[in-house]
Amino acid sequence: MLYSDIPNHQVYKYTPGKGVSLYLAQSGYSNGLLVNAQNELVLLQSRSRVVSKMKAPLSAPKSDYLPIVSHFNGQKFNSPNDGAFNNKGTLYFSDPPYGLPKQLNDENKELSFQGVYSVKDTGEITLLDDELIYPNGVALSNDNKILYVAASNENKPAWYQYYLNSNGGVTSKSLFYQLPPIAKHGKGLPDGLKVHKSGIIFATGPNGLWLFNKKAELLAKITTPNMSANLAFNTQQNRVYITAHTQLLALDLK
């Protein structure tokens, strides 16, 4: 299992029974990490403002990257954050301002909005939504028909859903689950997202981990000791890993 240490510009690998080891000494300030259908590591390099893939194989990592996409309509991204591949190789990803020193007010910000995008394996990029202030975690339903996006807006923290057509385009958008303003609800914001093979949506949010079914019914809340960010399942999906500030947490699933 791989995870990013964003401020230190590194990627670490956790191996059960062996612990943590350094995987990439220079990650391009990666945040979200994905493996595509060609078994290549794809990195959403927040402060580098690029979506890239590692040139080396997974088994012999090197800090050498090939950019996949870095601009929309000739303007640099804000800071690519999280993503998900569909079964046709299209990448869906979020582009909040978190990697910019002054975020929304940074003088190097080129786009006037924060986007949710798709990029096909042909390189064709599409803006799916430009209305979220802080789009963050991204996940796809198991049938690839719904895109889920976390919105880390402390005044309107929420999760949204986008219905997709057979070409992967958005046909409609709706609110999935709304939280009260964060000051009234606890520590943390909607962030990481993954859909389990059972269809249950795992989402990090205020005070820990939130579990929903596809009807947006809250099934459970699991409190974590620190603010939780990204999450990932193991191959068997009987364990979920959570990056929580200075800790890597694991929760076994039945």
Side-chain angles (χ1 to χ4, degrees):
M1 197 278 295
L2 302 178
Y3 63 93
S4 296
D5 180 349
I6 303 169
N8 291 316
H9 188 25
Q10 295 173 331
V11 170
Y12 284 87
K13 180 179 181 179
Y14 173 77
T15 304
K18 295 182 179 179
V20 173
S21 59
L22 182 65
Y23 186 77
L24 288 171
Q26 294 181 315
S27 70
Y29 295 99
S30 65
N31 190 335
L33 303 171
L34 303 153
V35 176
N36 64 17
Q38 291 72 44
N39 210 35
E40 299 168 316
L41 181 65
V42 174
L43 307 93
L44 290 104
Q45 295 171 313
S46 62
R47 297 184 193 178
S48 300
R49 304 169 72 177
V50 183
V51 179
S52 300
K53 65 179 180 181
M54 184 174 69
K55 291 183 179 180
L58 291 173
S59 59
K62 293 181 180 179
S63 298
D64 190 13
Y65 308 107
L66 178 68
I68 296 172
V69 64
S70 59
H71 293 70
F72 177 72
N73 286 347
Q75 295 177 302
K76 288 189 72 172
F77 292 129
N78 301 309
S79 55
N81 183 281
D82 194 26
F85 281 106
N86 72 4
N87 53 17
K88 295 181 179 179
T90 296
L91 173 65
Y92 295 84
F93 70 96
S94 59
D95 185 41
Y98 291 128
L100 298 170
K102 297 179 183 178
Q103 297 196 17
L104 292 175
N105 301 313
D106 197 272
E107 58 269 20
N108 292 315
K109 191 177 192 298
E110 297 185 13
L111 293 163
S112 61
F113 57 87
Q114 291 65 243
V116 178
Y117 300 90
S118 67
V119 58
K120 295 183 178 180
D121 55 9
T122 59
E124 178 187 348
I125 185 167
T126 302
L127 175 64
L128 305 177
D129 191 356
D130 62 1
E131 296 180 347
L132 301 181
I133 300 175
Y134 297 105
N136 201 324
V138 173
L140 283 163
S141 61
N142 293 322
D143 60 8
N144 285 206
K145 292 182 178 180
I146 303 174
L147 173 71
Y148 299 100
V149 178
S152 301
N153 182 349
E154 63 182 13
N155 296 315
K156 193 179 178 182
W159 292 274
Y160 292 87
Q161 59 185 355
Y162 302 77
Y163 287 89
L164 306 175
N165 59 28
S166 58
N167 293 320
V170 172
T171 59
S172 64
K173 168 190 172 183
S174 62
L175 180 68
F176 181 73
Y177 195 92
Q178 179 73 63
L179 294 170
I182 200 63
K184 300 178 181 179
H185 208 277
K187 191 175 183 181
L189 288 161
D191 195 329
L193 272 177
K194 287 290 185 294
V195 178
H196 191 264
K197 61 184 179 182
S198 65
I200 294 174
I201 299 153
F202 284 63
T204 57
N207 300 319
L209 189 62
W210 297 56
L211 275 63
F212 302 97
N213 63 18
K214 63 181 181 180
K215 297 179 181 179
E217 296 170 334
L218 180 61
L219 303 177
K221 287 193 288 185
I222 301 169
T223 301
T224 54
N226 286 312
M227 188 184 301
S228 297
N230 291 333
L231 72 155
F233 298 117
N234 64 350
T235 303
Q236 297 79 19
Q237 296 198 8
N238 59 7
R239 171 175 273 205
V240 60
Y241 293 99
I242 305 164
T243 54
H245 193 45
T246 59
Q247 296 179 321
L248 176 65
L249 307 176
L251 179 67
D252 289 330
L253 307 173
K254 292 184 178 180

